[in-house]
Amino acid sequence: MYQVYPRSFADGDGDGTGDLAGVRARLPYLAELGVDAVWFTPWYLSPLADGGYDVADYRTIDPAFGTLEEAEALIAEARALGIRTIVDIVPNHVSDQHPWFRAALAAGPGSPERKLFHFRPGRGENGELPPNDWPSQFAGRTWTRVADGEWYLHLFTPQQPDLNWAHPAVREEHEDVLRFWFERGVAGVRIDSAALPAKDPDLPDFTEGRDPHPYIDRDELHEIYRSWRAVADAYGGVFVGEVWLPDAERFARYLRPDELHTAFNFTFLACPWDAVRLRAAIDDTLAEHAPVGAPATWVLCNHDVTRTVTRYGRADTGFDFATKTFGTPTDLALGARRARAAALLTLALPGSVYVYQGEELGLPEADIPLDRIEDPMHFRSGGADPGRDGCRVPLPWTAAAPYAGFGSRTEPWLPQPAGWDAYAADRQAADPDSMLTLYRTALALRRAEPALGDGPLTWLPAPEGVLAFRRSPDLLCLVNLGPGPAPLPPPPAALLTSGPLVSKAAVCGGR
């Protein structure tokens, strides 16, 4: 699966913003890369207070991206190339420009319109204090007071009011939205912040360790997703949930046969470049999925996470939102070698793999000038968090073209760093040693080899710092995470290596 962040993928009309015309023009590139499906982050009408995750209308494409007719054409054209489409649904909240929320503000306290959200009177002598003390998913408050004195809940930004999922109209609307997109040919839906929508109706103050949690992973969610599953089954559609949970048993509940088909594996994504911890993450992931018979998912990076090349080139190679900071030293050459090995590792594991746009080009995290940062995570942290824009910089397509071929006339909405053209897809396509060539070759191999993808994984004895596993009697994957060379077991005829075998290389070997 290939993740497209439409605003930064390709600009078809030259206005500096990626769009559906740009994606349609690059569909042959995705087909040549060898992907089975494309997941689009939200392309709906949005004020873009949070990169499109503040949706004003699910049945309308944002004019910056194109039209509904273009989306339908894109879905059909991708399908003709063997590429299915996954859209992004955000059930926890909508935009403050959504018709429901605008009606709720106009209707006033106690109105039916406000019952679709979490409006409450404030605490304190004059209602001047928020109704509770819940922490934000971003920095800052989770409550905003409106002109009539009531407060509304938003776990993210004030421009993203949380919906009240205890209200039947909220459930009916989202099921209708699912039908709307399945009827337009999408094959699946990615569910944003899938563990957050249900809230304790009493909205109690937050207590660390409280069980059940007042707004994360509540049992009511499973009834919601069972109802969604019935809709998906009617169309042959699939779900992938964004479920950040440390409890393996609780995580697996979302993957029961009548709920979600798959969920993102953040244990693996956040794991440092360490053989012992990566093996544990792989084992834990497979163990989580085994009881419910769901396929595992593997991902190294996405639109919220520091680029793999950069992260693996740092002293701390794990990922945690709380530790992001400006000016972290990075060895990009080291990070690139590790990212190449990690690509072969993920593509050799059983299950499905998600590749974020630009990972196949080996893009590093970009430093965004302070006056060009748009991510609300940066501003709500008081400027301490660099935000997520560094992994969202528009892609380089053509080395010799303006703005590295992203668009023709206008500077992209986020600035491309100096030297960005060195990563251009056309330049890499002609280089047999490039990251793009590695991904193309690895994906072709994954498709051609029956042992890759689904099926068993058997660990093999290996030197310290080396991961070695068998996917079939004659197909092995060996990854060297140690400080020096490690011997290859005889008699390997290497199918693909991430680098020269005389270096610290990852090897997918076989026959």
Side-chain angles (χ1 to χ4, degrees):
M1 322 291 184
Y2 185 91
Q3 181 190 354
V4 165
Y5 189 77
R7 203 176 179 193
S8 297
F9 186 71
D11 176 10
D13 61 11
D15 66 354
T17 296
D19 47 38
L20 301 189
V23 178
R24 293 173 69 186
R26 299 293 180 179
L27 283 175
Y29 168 87
L30 295 175
E32 186 176 3
L33 181 60
V35 303
D36 299 299
V38 174
W39 153 37
F40 290 91
T41 57
W43 55 16
Y44 318 107
L45 184 67
S46 170
L48 294 176
D50 183 22
Y53 283 89
D54 48 318
V55 179
D57 185 349
Y58 273 113
R59 299 173 181 84
T60 302
I61 300 297
D62 194 286
F65 299 145
T67 65
L68 181 59
E69 290 73 22
E70 284 183 280
E72 292 173 333
L74 170 56
I75 293 166
E77 290 165 7
R79 172 72 79 164
L81 291 172
I83 300 172
R84 291 170 289 180
T85 299
I86 300 171
V87 295
D88 210 321
I89 298 294
V90 190
N92 182 70
H93 50 261
V94 292
S95 166
D96 61 355
Q97 299 304 304
H98 191 283
W100 281 9
F101 191 71
R102 296 171 70 177
L105 290 180
S111 64
E113 289 85 353
R114 290 207 172 177
K115 294 185 185 302
L116 297 169
F117 301 90
H118 297 280
F119 279 89
R120 295 290 189 277
R123 298 189 291 193
E125 184 176 349
N126 298 304
E128 72 277 10
L129 300 176
N132 68 28
D133 63 355
W134 287 2
S136 176
Q137 296 299 108
F138 296 163
R141 283 186 167 184
T142 56
W143 292 90
T144 291
R145 198 176 192 188
V146 299
D148 55 42
E150 281 203 324
W151 298 72
Y152 69 89
L153 175 68
H154 49 84
L155 291 182
F156 293 85
T157 71
Q159 295 83 14
Q160 295 167 286
D162 281 31
L163 291 163
N164 175 16
W165 273 88
H167 198 297
V170 173
R171 293 184 58 166
E172 291 167 5
E173 168 67 2
H174 280 75
E175 289 177 15
D176 191 64
V177 166
L178 292 175
R179 294 187 189 95
F180 179 89
W181 285 106
F182 281 133
E183 287 171 2
R184 274 149 188 81
V186 305
V189 172
R190 180 261 190 184
I191 306 169
D192 180 72
S193 299
L196 292 183
K199 313 293 192 295
D200 185 323
D202 295 330
L203 302 181
D205 278 342
F206 181 79
T207 301
E208 191 69 46
R210 178 189 178 99
D211 188 18
H213 196 286
Y215 60 86
I216 296 177
D217 184 35
R218 293 185 61 80
D219 288 342
E220 304 96 293
L221 286 169
H222 299 289
E223 180 187 352
I224 293 169
Y225 293 136
R226 280 192 288 270
S227 180
W228 283 30
R229 178 61 178 261
V231 175
D233 285 350
Y235 293 91
V238 298
F239 292 127
V240 55
E242 183 192 28
V243 184
W244 292 79
L245 289 178
D247 186 311
E249 190 275 331
R250 299 287 303 186
F251 173 85
R253 294 184 186 188
Y254 290 84
L255 301 174
R256 288 177 289 197
D258 59 348
E259 294 190 40
L260 308 184
H261 301 80
T262 61
F264 285 132
N265 172 17
F266 294 109
T267 299
F268 182 79
L269 177 150
C271 187
W273 185 250
D274 176 87
V276 173
R277 296 181 66 176
L278 273 172
R279 175 168 173 169
I282 294 168
D283 284 340
D284 289 348
T285 297
L286 296 176
E288 287 171 356
H289 289 74
V292 289
T297 64
W298 310 100
V299 59
L300 295 170
C301 180
N302 63 30
H303 64 293
D304 291 330
V305 174
T306 303
R307 286 278 188 187
T308 309
V309 165
T310 297
R311 180 165 62 92
Y312 281 164
R314 293 175 170 175
D316 180 1
T317 54
F319 178 78
D320 189 329
F321 284 107
T323 63
K324 290 189 70 174
T325 185
F326 287 100
T328 306
T330 303
D331 181 342
L332 289 181
L334 174 63
R337 290 197 301 272
R338 290 172 169 174
R340 291 172 66 90
L344 298 194
L345 170 62
T346 56
L347 291 169
L349 293 170
S352 58
V353 176
Y354 283 77
V355 177
Y356 176 48
Q357 65 179 41
E359 287 290 287
E360 80 281 10
L361 301 177
L363 297 185
E365 188 85 353
D367 291 325
I368 308 298
L370 291 178
D371 63 348
R372 297 291 299 274
I373 293 176
E374 296 196 11
D375 186 8
M377 289 189 77
H378 169 72
F379 299 105
R380 287 175 64 83
S381 72
D385 188 329
R388 300 162 294 177
D389 289 344
C391 67
R392 300 175 177 182
V393 173
L395 298 190
W397 290 101
T398 308
Y403 309 115
F406 173 72
S408 58
R409 299 196 311 270
T410 306
E411 182 185 10
W413 70 280
L414 281 178
Q416 296 169 318
W420 207 237
D421 59 339
Y423 298 98
D426 70 331
R427 178 173 290 179
Q428 293 202 39
D431 181 357
D433 297 321
S434 70
M435 186 76 85
L436 178 58
T437 299
L438 180 76
Y439 265 90
R440 285 178 172 174
T441 306
L443 285 167
L445 179 61
R446 179 177 165 91
R447 186 182 299 275
E449 286 288 339
L452 294 173
D454 294 331
L457 177 155
T458 304
W459 292 106
L460 302 173
E464 183 178 356
V466 174
L467 295 178
F469 57 85
R470 186 185 302 277
R471 294 305 317 277
S472 73
D474 56 0
L475 187 71
L476 311 179
C477 181
L478 301 106
V479 187
N480 183 6
L481 297 92
L488 287 168
L495 296 177
L496 184 60
T497 69
S498 68
L501 292 184
V502 294
S503 72
K504 305 168 198 171
V507 181
C508 276
R511 299 187 179 87

